[in-house]
């Protein structure tokens, strides 16, 4: 750890345990409260004009993206919402006009980062105006499915659940009168657990953000009380160092055994992602296009998949009736409605799952886009991936 203005500062590539000195944040935070404290510090110091984070709405199933300009409000955003399946990248492009006129600090999962980078490539988001505080992500659970799972598998009224957490491979709920944990493997065998795109996700530690924060690898007396922070950019190093220097955060070097443990867990999660890819893509039995034809026959052409995809952007108007290949008012739409979108995002699908999550007809769109992406990678960039559905 280097010295920063007389106090310890961090550099890109370093890994530290960090914890907040703010007692209110400490009470509500998932681990050490480093994420909330960094966001708050950046806003207080006017390094940014606003913070984009996620807060709990009516209940644990209701994750609400929120734009904050008053640092005092940040405490309300502390804590992880695993039933929060939202994607923040498109908000930047749509509601925040590409963050071209202001600076924003925000919390990002792997898919949020990938969506932002794709939008930045299209000049739809200004990456330079962003502080990206990454959180490791093992996956999210769809809110409706989570309620069904809690009712049927946990045999608990989902409305009585006051807290959920994922710890040591278990999804744990707290409710009036007790708590119960069941392993995610067991839940997934029963058809519940994480969203299918999350199971196939192989981006667990968001190293393209400025900082990657998580709970994996925090051991010893700091277990559960500190956030593991990997410093991924000079910008991240500067923000963290300043917050430490100001006394907002305390840090110590990460325990080498903890670092090793974190690497092992990350490796195991990547293997699990690979296993799910084989299973899901294998289930297509080499008939991807036939399956697409059958499944999309129930499409009601609501445009939700297009509106919510972080990479399907510029063609939205084109697809909305201006295309020569899709007639306006035709339901179900001509297969070109889907094929054109799949082709258009085939090299950039980030497997965020928004298309599938928000499709009112439950069409497994993310599976199709992801299979096409991986198949394309296998053909054109063999180093990136294996054949998706032919292997
Ligand atoms: P806090 O100070 O409590 O801040 C948490 C931040 O997360 C807040 O800014 C909040 O707005 C934001 N947030 C909450 N829910 C969401 C959401 N659904 N989408 C986007 N942002 C959200 N760490 C691991 O090491 N392994 C994991 O497998 C893992 N899985 C995770 C899955 C999810 C869905 C999330 C949100 C986080 C996960 N984390 C994981 C990260 C971990 O839970 C903590 O967020 C991290 O350690 C930071 O802790 P903290 O106390 O500093 O965060
Ligand atoms: Fe997390 Fe990956 Fe799912 Fe995004 S796609 S919520 S990064 S597991
Ligand atoms: Fe069709 Fe589903 Fe897309 Fe709506 S979200 S246009 S129903 S595929």
């Amino acid at each position: 750890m280097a010295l920063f203005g007389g106090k310890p500062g961090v550099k890109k590539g370093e890994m530290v345990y960090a914890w907040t000195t703010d007692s209110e944040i400490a009470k509500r935070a998932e681990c050490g409260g480093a994420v909330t404290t960094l966001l708050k510090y950046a806003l207080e110091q006017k390094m940014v004009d606003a913070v984009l984070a996620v807060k709990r709405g009516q209940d644990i199933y209701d994750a609400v993206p929120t734009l904050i300009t008053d640092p005092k409000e940040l405490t309300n955003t502390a804590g992880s919402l695993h039933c929060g399946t939202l994607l923040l990248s498109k908000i930047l492009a749509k509601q925040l006009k590409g963050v071209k006129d202001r600076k924003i600090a925000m919390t990002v999962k792997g898919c949020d980062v990938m969506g932002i980078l794709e939008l930045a490539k299209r000049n739809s988001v200004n990456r330079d105006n962003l502080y990206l505080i990454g959180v490791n992500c093992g996956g999210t659970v769809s809110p409706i499915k989570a309620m069904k799972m809690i009712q049927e598998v946990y045999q608990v009224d989902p409305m009585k659940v006051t807290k959920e957490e994922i710890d040591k491979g278990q999804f744990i709920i707290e409710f009036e009168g007790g708590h119960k944990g069941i392993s995610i493997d067991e839940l997934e065998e029963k058809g519940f657990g994480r969203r299918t795109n999350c199971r196939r996700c192989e981006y667990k530690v968001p190293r393209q953000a400025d900082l990657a924060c998580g709970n994996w690898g925090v051991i010893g007396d700091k277990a559960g009380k500190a956030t593991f922070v990997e410093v991924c950019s000079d910008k991240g190093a500067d923000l963290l160092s300043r917050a430490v220097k100001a006394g907002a955060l305390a840090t110590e070097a990460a325990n080498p055994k903890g670092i090793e443990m974190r690497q092992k867990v990350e490796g195991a999660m990547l293997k699990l992602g690979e296993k799910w890819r084989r299973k899901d893509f294998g289930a297509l039995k080499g008939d991807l296009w036939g399956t697409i034809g059958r499944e999309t026959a129930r499409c009601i052409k609501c445009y939700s998949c297009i509106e919510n995809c972080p990479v399907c952007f510029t063609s939205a108007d084109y697809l909305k009736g201006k295309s020569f290949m899709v007639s306006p008012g035709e339901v179900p739409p001509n297969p070109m409605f889907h094929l054109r979108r799949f082709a258009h995002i085939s090299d950039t699908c980030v497997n965020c799952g928004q298309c599938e999550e928000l499709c009112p007809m439950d069409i497994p769109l993310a599976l199709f886009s992801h299979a096409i992406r991986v198949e394309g990678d296998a053909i054109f960039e063999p180093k990136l991936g294996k054949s998706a559905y032919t292997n």
Side-chain angles (χ1 to χ4, degrees), residues 216-230:
W216 292 338
V218 184
I219 57 171
D221 62 341
K222 289 291 178 308
K225 296 185 198 129
T227 309
F228 190 112
V229 185
E230 179 173 347

Side-chain angles (χ1 to χ4, degrees), residues 44 57 227 242 277 353 360 363:
E44 277 170 349
T227 309
R242 287 206 215 181
R277 285 178 185 214
I363 300 171

Side-chain angles (χ1 to χ4, degrees), residues 47-50 67 91-104 123-130:
M47 293 166 78
V48 293
D49 302 301
L67 191 70
I91 295 175
L92 296 180
K94 275 186 157 182
Q95 281 80 15
L96 299 178
K97 299 185 170 57
V99 280
K100 294 193 176 157
D101 57 347
R102 56 184 136 177
K103 289 193 189 298
I104 301 267
N123 206 22
S124 295
V125 160
N126 185 353
R127 168 69 177 92
D128 293 342
N129 279 348
L130 294 170

Side-chain angles (χ1 to χ4, degrees), residues 255-275:
N255 184 319
K257 278 199 182 127
I259 296 177
E260 208 179 299
M261 201 179 278
R262 176 175 178 263
Q263 264 167 356
K264 277 194 186 148
V265 183
E266 186 187 1
M269 291 300 289
L270 296 183
K271 275 200 184 132
L272 192 61
E274 177 60 29
K275 190 193 98 180

Side-chain angles (χ1 to χ4, degrees), residues 109-112 137-140 195 197-198 201 203-204 350-352:
K109 305 177 296 300
C111 51
D112 293 314
C137 185
T140 49
R195 293 183 296 160
N197 64 300
C198 292
C201 175
Y203 194 22
K204 299 293 150 190
V350 298
N351 185 37
C352 66

Side-chain angles (χ1 to χ4, degrees), residues 87 90 94 296 299-313 315-316 319-320 333 337-339 341-342 344-345 352-361 363-366 369:
L87 187 80
K90 206 150 186 181
K94 275 186 157 182
T296 58
C299 171
I300 55 169
K301 208 178 176 188
C302 70
Y303 293 101
S304 170
C305 49
I306 295 167
E307 292 295 338
N308 293 293
C309 173
V311 292
C312 186
F313 213 83
S315 69
L319 282 159
K320 277 185 187 167
F337 177 79
H338 299 285
L339 297 185
R341 197 174 69 84
F342 289 140
H344 156 72
I345 62 169
C352 66
Q354 293 298 304
C355 50
E356 188 166 319
E357 176 77 7
L358 298 165
C359 173
M361 301 310 289
I363 300 171
L365 296 162
S369 307

Side-chain angles (χ1 to χ4, degrees), residues 55-65 81 147 158-163:
K55 71 174 179 190
R56 179 175 158 159
Q58 291 198 357
D59 50 44
I60 60 151
Y61 314 101
D62 186 22
V64 184
L81 293 163
M147 286 189 228
M159 288 304 140
K160 297 216 164 119
V161 176
T162 49
K163 196 173 179 304

Side-chain angles (χ1 to χ4, degrees), residues 4 10-13 38 41-42 47-48 99 102-106 116 126-133 208-211 230-243:
F4 182 94
V10 291
K11 286 210 175 88
K12 183 178 164 186
L38 287 163
Y41 178 78
M47 293 166 78
V48 293
V99 280
R102 56 184 136 177
K103 289 193 189 298
I104 301 267
M106 63 190 289
I116 290 169
N126 185 353
R127 168 69 177 92
D128 293 342
N129 279 348
L130 294 170
Y131 278 90
L132 300 181
I133 314 299
Q208 281 158 304
D210 295 307
L211 298 164
E230 179 173 347
V231 184
C232 304
S233 72
D234 292 335
K235 205 170 169 179
D238 177 58
L239 172 60
L240 180 57
S241 299
R242 287 206 215 181

